[in-house]
Amino acid sequence: MDEEYDVIVLGTGLKECILSGLLSVDGLKVLHMDRNDYYGGESTSLNLIQLWKKFRGSDKPPAHLGSSRDYSVDMIPKFMMQMAHFYVFNKGKVHKVPATDMEALKSPLMGIFEKCRARKFFLYVQAYDEKDPKTHEGMDLMRVTTRDLIAKYGLDDNTVDFIGHALALHRDDRYLDEPALDTVKRMKLYAESLARFQGGSPYIYPLYGLGELPQAFARLSAVYGGTYMLNKPKCKVEYDDEGKACGVTSEGETARCKKVVCDPSYLPNKVRKIGKVARAIAIMSHPIPNTNDSHSVQIILPQKQLGRRSDMYVFCCSYSHNVAPKGKFIAFVSTEAETDNPETELKPGIDLLGPVEDIFFDIYDRYEPVNEPSLDNCFISTSYDATTHFESTVTDVLNMYTMITEKVVDLSVDLSAASAAEE
């Protein structure tokens, strides 16, 4: 503690660990602290005893669920999931999402004429090259809205629903009146990701749960000289006469620094509440019905299908991902909360799961920073949202990195040099 650092990072959530890794690779002297005695913060993965303790106040889960250490249950409803299938909820039923022109022709989501129209649209998207005007069909997608682009192909509302929410992964319908280029890029990213992996999914997911990701970036930081201190209670940010962060005090010792990076829980007076996420975590002994017995699956329930303002997400992973004992499945249902009753609000997603052995409900608040980092040298991440993927997480990290370093992150760095640095 008795040293000066370029940056002190508080909290070992995924965002903080990615930043710690990036800043250490940049050559900055980093101290990373956490009040908890484990890595991951809000994005950790818990064993069965920890899960019971968090939600039930008891450390004795029932024996029939198997060994506690065989479980690794993610604590945020967000995944880079390598799934057997990806589904969308439409008119009360679950359907596989078509992602290419050929899949569009086979999809039961659409009638024969709609399939032909959708195929033409997919072919346009697949051929589109931002740098080649010949592929634009006379349209400037920076000016044409998504609504107008879709109208050109005559697609109906149901088709628009799964394209916008299941392929382009928009969270609401504002995208329809925004430039179409973003939606086309999102669809191309989905299709390219789908083609990259053997297994029919555009998503990847780490074995042993999402909690492995923060630890991986923490190791990267450590290889490049980052210092880690867990179980440091009451981390208090210190300020100089100008109101700029200049250190962090814990257990009577103060480490000095030029900048502080943290999650919202460490500086509650510099953030504001922007919403809340409702989630359910279910333990089951079977895959989700109507998903081809998939050991891993994602289902998006678009807002219009539910009469809601925000989409709902269902995920399932299993023992095949080393997050549960043999024969057990873990399902998650999450959404941006619109009420204070998660049991009722999440019912459309929970109804898709079939029988569950145990289920946990939770609501957590989401926060965003309201401070001006240039004035106080405090760089605060935004809370995790209910989306299925890491787009908003990565966007926040890249923006924070630029604010901290005044440069854009360079992802071309050769990290194989890490082994040399370690030696």
Side-chain angles (χ1 to χ4, degrees):
M1 291 286 286
D2 190 27
E3 289 188 42
E4 180 155 355
Y5 298 85
D6 293 310
V7 179
I8 294 180
V9 182
L10 301 177
T12 52
L14 179 59
K15 293 182 183 183
E16 290 69 39
C17 285
I18 295 175
L19 284 166
S20 178
L22 290 172
L23 296 172
S24 295
V25 169
D26 264 1
L28 298 181
K29 188 175 181 180
V30 176
L31 171 63
H32 204 148
M33 302 166 66
D34 196 313
R35 63 170 76 93
N36 299 310
D37 59 359
Y38 55 82
Y39 287 95
E42 291 301 309
S43 53
T44 192
S45 301
L46 302 182
N47 63 35
L48 209 56
I49 289 174
Q50 292 170 324
L51 187 71
W52 243 257
K53 202 167 186 177
K54 179 177 176 66
F55 290 103
R56 302 271 165 84
S58 161
D59 59 357
K60 293 182 180 178
H64 69 85
L65 292 179
S67 171
S68 171
R69 68 184 180 192
D70 287 341
Y71 285 86
S72 189
V73 183
D74 297 326
M75 283 296 101
I76 60 166
K78 193 175 297 294
F79 303 84
M80 301 189 309
M81 173 100 40
Q82 185 176 4
M83 303 162 300
H85 295 290
F86 183 25
Y87 292 79
V88 64
F89 183 77
N90 183 269
K91 294 181 179 177
K93 293 185 178 179
V94 171
H95 300 275
K96 188 176 187 301
V97 174
T100 65
D101 60 303
M102 295 309 295
E103 286 192 357
L105 285 175
K106 301 174 185 175
S107 176
L109 277 166
M110 299 171 282
I112 183 65
F113 295 112
E114 182 70 1
K115 285 178 180 179
C116 292
R117 290 189 289 267
R119 180 174 183 267
K120 287 181 181 177
F121 179 62
F122 280 124
L123 285 172
Y124 168 75
V125 170
Q126 288 165 22
Y128 184 87
D129 181 346
E130 198 173 354
K131 297 176 182 175
D132 183 0
K134 293 177 185 174
T135 67
H136 298 182
E137 294 189 6
M139 291 181 289
D140 180 357
L141 296 194
M142 283 298 290
R143 295 178 179 272
V144 174
T145 66
T146 307
R147 191 186 300 277
D148 291 338
L149 176 63
I150 288 172
K152 179 183 176 183
Y153 290 89
L155 302 178
D156 69 24
D157 286 347
N158 281 324
T159 305
V160 173
D161 225 16
F162 78 72
I163 285 174
H165 292 263
L167 290 182
L169 298 175
H170 289 293
R171 286 178 273 173
D172 53 46
D173 282 346
R174 283 179 294 182
Y175 76 95
L176 288 169
D177 297 307
E178 294 172 350
L181 182 61
D182 179 50
T183 296
V184 168
K185 281 184 172 180
R186 285 166 173 260
M187 290 181 68
K188 287 180 73 69
L189 175 64
Y190 185 100
E192 288 162 6
S193 300
L194 192 66
R196 187 174 290 266
F197 300 107
Q198 300 292 318
S201 167
Y203 295 87
I204 55 175
Y205 177 76
L207 295 178
Y208 302 103
L210 207 61
E212 292 295 300
L213 292 179
Q215 294 187 62
F217 283 99
R219 287 191 287 272
L220 173 65
S221 174
V223 164
Y224 279 87
T227 301
Y228 276 79
M229 296 182 183
L230 299 183
N231 206 14
K232 298 293 286 185
K234 297 179 181 176
C235 294
K236 179 176 178 288
V237 177
E238 305 288 354
Y239 301 91
D240 62 19
D241 295 339
E242 296 179 354
K244 294 181 182 290
C246 61
V248 174
T249 298
S250 176
E251 298 180 304
E253 294 183 294
T254 301
R256 302 181 306 282
C257 66
K258 297 166 187 167
K259 295 175 181 177
V260 168
V261 175
C262 65
D263 70 45
S265 69
Y266 283 88
L267 287 173
N269 61 325
K270 292 181 182 284
V271 298
R272 67 175 176 131
K273 181 178 172 181
I274 54 171
K276 52 190 177 180
V277 172
R279 64 177 171 181
I281 301 170
I283 300 173
M284 312 184 301
S285 294
H286 60 83
I288 294 177
N290 305 312
T291 61
N292 201 29
D293 291 335
S294 301
H295 282 202
S296 56
V297 67
Q298 175 179 216
I299 307 168
I300 290 185
L301 292 77
Q303 58 187 71
K304 278 184 186 172
Q305 301 291 326
L306 306 177
R308 293 173 46 81
R309 296 192 301 274
S310 47
D311 292 354
M312 189 172 296
Y313 306 95
V314 176
F315 326 89
C316 183
C317 46
S318 67
Y319 60 93
S320 62
H321 302 89
N322 294 357
V323 296
K326 184 78 172 172
K328 298 296 182 186
F329 295 73
I330 301 174
F332 303 80
V333 184
S334 62
T335 188
E336 185 72 14
E338 297 174 9
T339 72
D340 289 320
N341 190 334
E343 289 93 336
T344 301
E345 194 162 357
L346 295 171
K347 189 175 186 300
I350 293 166
D351 285 348
L352 300 177
L353 303 182
V356 302
E357 294 194 33
D358 222 307
I359 190 164
F360 305 87
F361 292 96
D362 185 27
I363 285 186
Y364 68 83
D365 292 330
R366 294 198 301 114
Y367 297 93
E368 69 177 8
V370 294
N371 66 311
E372 177 47 65
S374 63
L375 298 179
D376 60 12
N377 285 349
C378 295
F379 301 84
I380 308 168
S381 61
T382 300
S383 301
Y384 300 98
D385 59 30
T387 54
T388 60
H389 46 87
F390 278 104
E391 181 187 20
S392 57
T393 298
V394 171
T395 299
D396 193 23
V397 166
L398 295 178
N399 289 338
M400 289 180 69
Y401 176 87
T402 298
M403 283 193 291
I404 295 165
T405 65
E406 298 182 351
K407 60 184 181 179
V408 176
V409 66
D410 177 12
L411 294 177
S412 66
V413 174
D414 178 13
L415 294 182
S416 63
S419 58
E422 192 172 22
E423 291 167 9

